[in-house]
Amino acid sequence: MDVSEIIIPGDTPGTEWRLPVLRFVGRDPKAPKAYIQAALHAGELPGTALLHFLCERLWRAESEGAVAGDITIVPQANPIGTAQSHFGELQGRFDLGSRTNFNRDFPLISATDRAMLTEDLNDYPAADQLKRQLLDMALGADLVLDLHCDDESLQYAYIDEAFWPEAADLAAALDMEAVLLSDGESSAFEEAVGFAWKYAVPGERQPRLPGKLSVTVELRGKRDVDPALAKRDADGLWRFLAARSIVSDERMAQAVFAGPAVPLDNVEIIRAPQGGAVLFHRTIGDRVAEGELLATIVTRPGQPDGSIDLHAPQDGLILTRTSDRLVRRRGDLMKIVCARPSKAARKAGTLES
C-alpha cells in the first residue's frame, strides 16, 4: 500500500489541508480499477470505519498477490469540513465560506477534459481545489463509490439508471434494502463522474455505461458507527470487489438483490406543514399502508387543536427518518419508497440540497 497526501492551501495565510490517499497497486493492468471515498460530508463516518477494516484486508491481499486491479481509497475525503466546528457542533455538510454543500458544484466536464481539473489549481478556493482533485482521482477509475450515510436510515444507494441493473451486484453485496434510481441531473460527486463518462464524446450522450459504475452509498444513519457494522460492511464491499474481479477470492458466493429499485419520483418525502415537536408513530424499516398515521406535530402544546397528524400518502417502505424532534416548517421528516410515483412535484436532480 502506498500512502500519500494531497496538500490543499488554505484561503487565509498560514492554513492548509491534508488529504490522505491510500493506493493498492493491482497485478493485472487489464483488471477494472476502483476508487472509493468516504466522509465527503465530514460528519458521516460509517464509510470511514468501513474503509479502515477494508484496508486491513487489502493489505493482506496485496502481499498475497490477490489484488488484481488498482484500488484508490480516500477514507476522509473532506478535511475542510472536518475542521468546521461551530459552538461545539461539527458543521461538515456545507462549506461555511461559500455556504455550498460539499457534495454539490462538482465540475460537469467530459472525461476527455479531465486534465483541466488540475490546471491552475491555485486560482480556486480551497473547497473547489478539493472537489477538483477528488473528481480527477475518480475519473482514473472504472468503479467509483462515494460512501455517505443518512440521518436515521436503512442501507440504500443512489444509482444512475445508466448503471442499472448491472449495479445490482453492489446492492446485493452490501445487503441494501432499497435502491433509488437517479436521473443524473445534478452536480453531486457521483453524478459528475457519471456525466463525464456519458459525455466522453462531447455533445454525444451515452445512455448505458457497461463496465462502469458511479454510486452514492448511504450506509444507514449517522450514529451507526460501530465495529460490528463496519466489519460487516467491509466484508460486503470485499464481496463486490471480488465479483468485479478487482480482488481474487473464489470463496465468495454472489448474493441476489431482493429489495425495491425505484425512480426518485417514487419517493414520498414527508415534510412538516408547521414547526413543532414531532412524535413519530412509525420508524425506519416499517411498511405502511396508505392513510396510516406516521407522525404527530405538536405545534401549540396544551392548547385545543394544538397538534397536526400526518398520514402516509400511499403504501410504501419507510427508508429514512429525521433524528430531530423539534422540526421547522417544511423540514423533511421521512422518505418512503413506493411502487407508484408521488403526486408531489419534484425538480430534476437530487432529493435534497
Side-chain angles (χ1 to χ4, degrees):
M1 180 181 69
D2 174 69
V3 180
S4 61
E5 284 187 330
I6 294 173
I7 298 176
I8 301 171
D11 296 329
T12 55
T15 62
E16 66 180 19
W17 312 106
R18 294 177 178 269
L19 182 70
V21 180
L22 286 57
R23 292 184 172 90
F24 297 86
V25 179
R27 55 176 168 73
D28 182 1
K30 295 182 180 180
K33 296 178 174 62
Y35 172 86
I36 311 170
Q37 70 179 29
L40 183 55
H41 289 143
E44 298 180 358
L45 296 176
T48 298
L50 180 163
L51 292 178
H52 175 71
F53 291 109
L54 179 66
C55 285
E56 288 184 353
R57 195 161 187 172
L58 288 172
W59 298 338
R60 296 192 297 271
E62 189 178 45
S63 67
E64 296 166 358
V67 176
D70 293 349
I71 303 171
T72 300
I73 291 179
V74 182
Q76 292 178 302
N78 187 0
I80 301 172
T82 302
Q84 292 184 162
S85 184
H86 185 64
F87 295 124
E89 294 289 336
L90 178 65
Q91 302 292 328
R93 187 176 184 85
F94 294 90
D95 174 26
L96 296 185
S98 66
R99 294 180 288 182
T100 302
N101 189 322
F102 279 111
N103 194 22
R104 301 292 184 273
D105 286 359
F106 279 86
L108 298 178
I109 62 165
S110 167
T112 57
D113 296 325
R114 178 187 169 193
M116 67 172 285
L117 289 169
T118 53
E119 291 177 355
D120 302 316
L121 273 176
N122 287 334
D123 292 345
Y124 297 93
D128 289 341
Q129 290 190 40
L130 173 67
K131 293 176 183 180
R132 285 174 168 269
Q133 300 214 57
L134 293 175
L135 184 57
D136 176 62
M137 287 189 286
L139 290 179
D142 303 294
L143 308 174
V144 175
L145 278 65
D146 191 15
L147 306 182
H148 287 253
C149 68
D150 212 301
D151 198 347
E152 295 178 1
S153 175
L154 303 179
Q155 191 113 303
Y156 72 102
Y158 292 96
I159 301 179
D160 192 311
E161 294 172 345
F163 307 115
W164 192 261
E166 185 179 6
D169 59 347
L170 175 66
L174 282 172
D175 198 22
M176 293 179 188
E177 298 185 67
V179 166
L180 305 185
L181 299 174
S182 60
D183 44 25
E185 295 292 330
S186 85
S187 58
F189 173 80
E190 52 101 356
E191 295 196 340
V193 174
F195 183 97
W197 291 337
K198 290 177 191 175
Y199 293 95
V201 178
E204 295 184 17
R205 186 180 188 277
Q206 300 180 56
R208 307 295 300 175
L209 296 166
K212 297 283 192 179
L213 177 62
S214 180
V215 56
T216 292
V217 176
E218 301 284 358
L219 295 165
R220 305 179 194 86
K222 288 182 180 179
R223 297 183 64 85
D224 293 321
V225 184
D226 68 61
L229 286 176
K231 289 175 182 177
R232 190 171 85 186
D233 291 339
D235 287 344
L237 199 45
W238 176 269
R239 282 194 296 273
F240 169 72
L241 294 174
R244 291 293 180 107
S245 301
I246 297 173
V247 298
S248 301
D249 190 341
E250 296 179 355
R251 299 167 298 175
M252 283 293 166
Q254 290 194 36
V256 177
F257 175 63
V262 304
L264 295 185
D265 287 338
N266 288 36
V267 178
E268 295 281 6
I269 300 180
I270 309 301
R271 295 188 170 93
Q274 294 185 34
V278 60
L279 311 176
F280 285 114
H281 300 281
R282 304 305 301 266
T283 189
I284 57 172
D286 287 352
R287 295 191 176 274
V288 295
E290 180 177 348
E292 192 168 337
L293 179 62
L294 299 175
T296 298
I297 300 177
V298 180
T299 56
R300 297 181 301 279
Q303 300 184 38
D305 300 321
S307 64
I308 302 170
D309 287 339
L310 304 179
H311 300 85
Q314 58 171 308
D315 298 357
L317 170 70
I318 299 177
L319 185 65
T320 73
R321 193 176 76 169
T322 183
S323 62
D324 294 335
R325 294 301 181 265
L326 178 63
V327 297
R328 300 171 65 89
R329 183 185 296 114
R330 300 301 296 164
D332 293 351
L333 303 179
M334 288 178 167
K335 295 189 190 78
I336 304 177
V337 175
C338 303
R340 303 192 311 271
S342 170
K343 294 180 181 179
R346 184 183 75 83
K347 294 180 180 179
T350 52
L351 293 177
E352 298 147 334
S353 62

